[in-house]
Amino acid sequence: MLLKTIRAEQMKLKRSPVWLAFFFLPILPAIMGTFNYVQNIDILDNYWYSLWTQHTLFTCYFFLPPTIGVYCSYLCRLEHTNHNWNSVMTLPVPIPYIYLSKLFTASVMVIATQVWVGILFIICGKLSNLSGPVPPELFEWLAYGMVGGIVICGVQLCLSLMIRSFAVPVGIAMIGGIGGVAALSKGAGAFYPYTLLSIGMRANSPGGPMICTPSQLLLSSAVFLVASTGIAVLWLRNKDVMAS
């Protein structure tokens, strides 16, 4: 039953304009980060690692959180129109499956986005004539970034289920991403869902250790995912969809 629900969610993405966001939005921080690196190459002298800090500066705080917000808002858009929640809630599908199928679909898109971010990083590095091999830690940065991105998916899906507007949850994601800078400066990055992405991707110190331990990152991610899932399922079970 869950697999059928996931396939139904995936059908929404065929020929969807959301793929434009997937393709183009990560290109913008890649261009901005590369330009910033080239302009300050005398100061940023750690080659690939310095380029990564510039890419993730824009990706983790300004572009990827709202991109994930777009994914999640789009997955809830159909249900918010023409009282379609009525049809969804009367299907013989357990309520948790409705949320989990959306979370799985959005998470797959986040994983694909991270792969695209990695490809863009390598392309930009080659275009910048960087010498030496690509950092061997790149896979680890992207993998932990996927975990942080999936946490943002959980939070944003919860918001998108509750808020009928397409743009408002995206705006919240943008504010949340920018707010991550303040959370990190206060030492509360591991307790703020939007900073787990930058922590996992080593946005501030790609050549050094993670701000928190990997186990702390995974534990915090699990807590946020369980909490957002629980809130979303409770909301779906208690909402009077006939009045929506």
Side-chain angles (χ1 to χ4, degrees):
M1 183 68 73
L2 179 58
L3 292 177
K4 291 182 179 179
T5 311
I6 291 173
R7 283 196 291 269
E9 292 295 331
Q10 291 175 339
M11 288 177 63
K12 297 178 182 178
L13 301 179
K14 291 184 178 179
R15 301 182 182 85
S16 165
V18 77
W19 291 110
L20 295 175
F22 163 83
F23 183 77
F24 286 108
L25 288 182
I27 292 177
L28 296 176
I31 293 174
M32 294 168 66
T34 303
F35 178 80
N36 203 40
Y37 169 75
V38 172
Q39 292 297 112
N40 297 278
I41 199 167
D42 294 334
I43 302 173
L44 303 171
D45 56 0
N46 206 9
Y47 303 106
W48 286 97
Y49 294 94
S50 293
L51 179 63
W52 182 253
T53 62
Q54 300 310 298
H55 274 223
T56 52
L57 170 66
F58 296 103
T59 298
C60 295
Y61 300 115
F62 300 100
F63 283 91
L64 195 49
T67 299
I68 296 173
V70 169
Y71 297 162
C72 296
S73 286
Y74 187 84
L75 288 173
C76 296
R77 178 173 176 268
L78 181 62
E79 285 83 353
H80 283 316
T81 58
N82 299 322
H83 300 282
N84 282 332
W85 274 118
N86 293 344
S87 300
V88 171
M89 298 299 287
T90 55
L91 293 174
V93 177
I95 287 178
Y97 287 7
I98 296 173
Y99 175 83
L100 291 175
S101 63
K102 294 180 184 294
L103 178 61
F104 179 85
T105 303
S107 298
V108 170
M109 296 190 71
V110 166
I111 292 171
T113 302
Q114 284 292 91
V115 173
W116 180 222
V117 167
I119 292 172
L120 288 170
F121 172 67
I122 295 173
I123 291 173
C124 290
K126 296 298 183 181
L127 291 176
S128 301
N129 296 317
L130 288 179
S131 59
V134 176
E137 304 96 332
L138 178 60
F139 177 79
E140 180 184 349
W141 298 338
L142 294 173
Y144 279 117
M146 291 173 188
V147 174
I150 291 171
V151 171
I152 297 177
C153 280
V155 174
Q156 286 299 134
L157 271 175
C158 194
L159 293 171
S160 294
L161 286 173
M162 298 177 182
I163 302 172
R164 296 188 57 151
S165 168
F166 182 95
V168 171
V170 177
I172 293 174
M174 182 177 295
I175 295 171
I178 297 172
V181 178
L184 283 173
S185 67
K186 298 295 184 180
F191 307 102
Y192 184 71
Y194 293 93
T195 55
L196 298 179
L197 174 66
S198 61
I199 291 174
M201 294 179 74
R202 310 291 208 284
N204 297 320
S205 57
M210 194 182 296
I211 292 176
C212 62
T213 65
S215 59
Q216 288 174 330
L217 175 70
L218 295 176
L219 177 60
S220 183
S221 299
V223 169
F224 280 116
L225 282 174
V226 170
S228 59
T229 300
I231 293 171
V233 171
L234 285 174
W235 185 85
L236 287 172
R237 282 178 172 165
N238 291 285
K239 180 173 173 57
D240 183 4
V241 295
M242 295 299 293
S244 63

